[in-house]
């Protein structure tokens, strides 16, 4: 087998080889994190410095935390003169940062009415549009880029302003599933068009590569000599072969500030508007072939790949049980994310609503503590956003972001693979970045680097990119890369004070995860 | 009519006199708190200094935050020499405070086995036992006090250690309803025994008096010349006459510390063990005669007054919609409290499970932010308490506790009446107290003052005490006393992004409040 990162990866081998081994009696908070000291993931490594040539122009749409964070990485990894870059933002928020790098920033609020007129003169064939905005529709920009011959990347399939909560349309139409299906329809019009990379931040984005690496680690742990599959069908067969039932994107943001959230205030470590927008979309999950209990509020989609379903309530009101190495068992929010749909689609054996095999896939997000309180307050206000919003960046005092994928149901029960990035390290690694943004911005630049080398791939998703190359590119920016086995399952410790309605015959039923 | 506090009470008169008037279009956070500046509730008042004589001994069981807070008030309001007091505590936590006042503290862990032997020699007829412990059963202490001729008070009907989560018995047996019924059985054995005041802290306790005052305010607002009823039946008829459907004890604790909750830590502004204990009991509520939708997980009790039901899940996992003047609409936790049962019982017209009239009564608690996060973490750990617990007291930097009763369903929709006590003011008013403790300790001393004057009332509940006297006694300690009308109801702002299953025909159904 090919082991991509043999020694430096902090890979905690399974303590017991039988399924659901209960190696951790008490809540498994301390046990699985006995990592080697220091940062073994980067021992002996040096920062990848490709300085790739790029003769075209780079147009950045949106200049909030991700836009400001991605700029220094673009200038580090690509041979770019300031005159090759141009930022279009809806406000002056990042003006100082743009000025610091000598980059032109035009304050223009892009809308469905003006975007074509504004952007067309700014782009030529071979240019690159980096959409890190809120409220500028991915579909429209991709279509425009395809027509103009420009490459494209975003970190989220964004609708026009208000699209996430547009109550004139059904919850189905506000789902990420519908947004993704809509964008994918462009594929038939633009075969072999300029490369447009969809949703390639941390998650969605990087986590799709983590899933593949975790599958390879599990194959390795079973002493199965398997080469990395070369196509979608191969990965799906591997996941099925390993018995993966559930894939959670399991994230715990431990970052804290000195100052406290005040009443009527929403605090987050990344865009508040972005988080509230997706939090108010329907909860969505890739719906696995092993699931026996369709949710009472679940809805199927009338068209498309059928890999996912949605619940008739906001993701920010939907809690699920999950686990990370440092948090142990926790309740996360099932916020809709396009990786839940695309990974489930990618790993499907068969088709449609009743495939031969498909894992259940969803995001189980524990944002920073102040964001948990903000969500609690927001729910109490029936999803009317607080008067004040605060994106904490410089204010973060300490803490890290633990972001990974938790593969469940295989022979060892659970395996978490991901990044643990400390705020102090993130700041040291790249200016204008924090732990949350750097996991995103490094993945954006990694995918751009790949796109520049593969400029005519048309519209692609993270799963279409080579996981080993992307992880290798991002790795210097990811802090510790951790692989940790766990015997945790969502039935553990349940029902001791009150009877709970669970399915004891199969711990991996979604019903058992949902709070 | 008799208006007890005509001018100093901050009473916001109803802006509109018709039911459900929507005077507040946006979330009503700013609108209803346009209070007079300063602390008008106490203008021109002076601290009540009764210095009541008490020749007996005072035995304090438990010396945590409430024990330490009540001591200086006892010494202020009663003529007591240090030698008249004795503290029995399970640990040395409060030793320094006891020594500061020259009070003897014996460290003895009271159990079901030793309590009789330990306490009997310490008490004589006419003494007063103040039970502010955790894990020492009220039933046992009351029975002992009745036999010995000593008076008694507690702030909660406590079982022996582990009783709240004793999974060998049914959730019903762990309910406050069952604990209350058990204690009330002692009444028949000890008629006209020494006065034993049950559950007389802030809530349960003070809030029962707030309910009566709020009923009088509503009668007054309707220009109804009603004298305060002189008995239970009269109060029940008044509540019915006013159309009260729901009484929430609506509390928002706004206190904050500099330091932050760390992972695997439970923080609260009062006893963590006390809060977690009651939070893990079944959610309980007085069940009103207007309720049309019995909860799917609801359970009735097989015996007793039948005023309440319980849900087959922890209160800490049960969220309800509520409102306070400063918080506006919020989600609180439906933590079981004996006032939910006793107030519903007290205000019942008729009997049993289908009375002519009974309001729905429950506690909708928003603890301090760090406690909300602690509960979120605790739920993720399936109710296994965190390794570290912290009662913040000196660490509190600012904030206040807003504790009141919200009467709903009458001609003006909603009326909140309660105390808003700032941490700085609480510290100024009494040593060793914070905002949360002072609302409790002042009510304890108020009830003791009443008991000493009425020493042979047997076993009584807060509703049996005169509300005007108790409020008058406590008032110097309660910060602002606020009466605020509101047009809020639990259907307000609902269902705009997703359809929700609600009963539009009657906003006051419990179904509409439950999250």
């Amino acid at each position: 087998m090919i082991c991509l990162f043999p020694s430096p990866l902090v890979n905690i081998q399974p303590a017991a080889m039988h399924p659901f081994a209960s190696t951790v009696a008490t809540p498994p908070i301390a046990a699985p994190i006995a990592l080697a000291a220091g940062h073994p993931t980067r021992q002996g490594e040096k920062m990848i410095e490709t300085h790739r040539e790029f003769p075209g122009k780079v147009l950045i749409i949106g200049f909030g935390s991700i836009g400001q964070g991605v700029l220094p990485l673009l200038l580090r990894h690509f041979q770019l003169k300031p005159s090759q870059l141009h930022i279009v933002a809806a406000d002056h928020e990042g003006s100082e940062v743009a000025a610091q790098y000598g980059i032109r920033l035009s304050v223009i609020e892009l809308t469905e009415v003006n975007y074509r007129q504004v952007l067309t003169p700014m782009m030529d064939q071979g240019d690159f549009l980096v959409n890190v905005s809120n409220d500028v529709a991915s579909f429209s920009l991709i279509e425009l880029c395809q027509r103009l011959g420009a490459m494209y990347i975003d970190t989220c399939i964004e609708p026009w302003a208000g699209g996430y909560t547009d109550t004139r349309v059904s919850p189905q139409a506000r789902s990420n599933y519908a947004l993704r299906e809509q964008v994918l329809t462009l594929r038939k019009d633009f075969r072999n068009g300029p490369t447009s990379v969809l949703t390639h931040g941390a998650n969605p984005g990087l986590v799709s590569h983590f899933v593949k690496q975790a599958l390879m680690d599990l194959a390795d742990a079973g002493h199965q000599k398997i080469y990395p599959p070369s196509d979608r069908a191969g990965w799906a067969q591997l996941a099925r072969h390993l018995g993966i039932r559930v894939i959670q994107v399991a994230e715990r943001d431990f970052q804290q500030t000195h100052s406290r959230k005040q009443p009527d205030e929403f605090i987050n470590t990344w865009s508040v508007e972005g988080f509230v927008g997706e939090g108010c979309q329907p909860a969505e999950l890739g719906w696995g072939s092993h699931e026996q209990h369709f949710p009472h509020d679940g809805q199927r989609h009338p068209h498309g790949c059928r890999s996912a379903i949605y619940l008739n309530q906001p993701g920010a009101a939907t809690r699920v049980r999950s686990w990370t190495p440092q948090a142990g068992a926790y309740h996360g929010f099932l916020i809709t994310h396009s990786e839940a749909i695309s990974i489930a689609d990618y790993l499907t054996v068969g088709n449609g609503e009743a495939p031969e095999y498909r894992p259940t896939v969803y995001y189980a997000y524990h944002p920073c503590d102040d964001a948990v309180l903000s969500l609690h307050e927001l729910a109490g206000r029936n999803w009317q956003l607080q008067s004040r919003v605060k994106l904490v960046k410089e204010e973060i005092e300490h803490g890290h972001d633990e972001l990974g994928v938790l593969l469940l149901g295989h022979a060892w029960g659970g395996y978490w693979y991901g990044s643990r990035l400390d705020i102090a390290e993130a700041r040291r690694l790249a200016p204008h970045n924090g732990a949350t943004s750097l996991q995103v911005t490094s993945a954006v630049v990694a995918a751009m680097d790949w796109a520049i080398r593969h400029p005519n791939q048309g519209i692609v998703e993270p799963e279409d990119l080579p996981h080993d190359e992307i992880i290798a590119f991002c790795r210097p920016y990811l802090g510790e890369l951790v692989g940790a086995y766990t015997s945790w399952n969502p039935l553990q410790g349940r029902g001791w004070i009150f009877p709970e309605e669970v399915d004891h015959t199969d711990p991996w039923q979604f019903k058992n995860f949902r709070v």
Side-chain angles (χ1 to χ4, degrees), chain A residues 16 34 58 90 96 121 125 143 154 190 296 331 418 453 475 492:
Chain A
V58 175
E96 273 184 38
Q125 195 163 357
E143 193 260 5
D154 62 28
F190 302 104
H296 66 93
H331 285 177
R453 288 179 287 125
R475 192 156 171 195
Q492 241 177 36

Side-chain angles (χ1 to χ4, degrees), chain A residues 212-243:
Chain A
K212 288 183 181 172
Q213 185 55 48
L215 290 172
M216 291 310 298
D217 289 353
L218 287 169
D220 185 34
H223 305 293
Q224 302 180 21
K225 299 221 171 291
I226 291 175
Y227 288 90
S230 59
D231 60 4
R232 194 201 67 74
W235 285 107
Q237 285 293 358
L238 177 58
R240 180 194 205 178
H241 175 71
L242 290 166

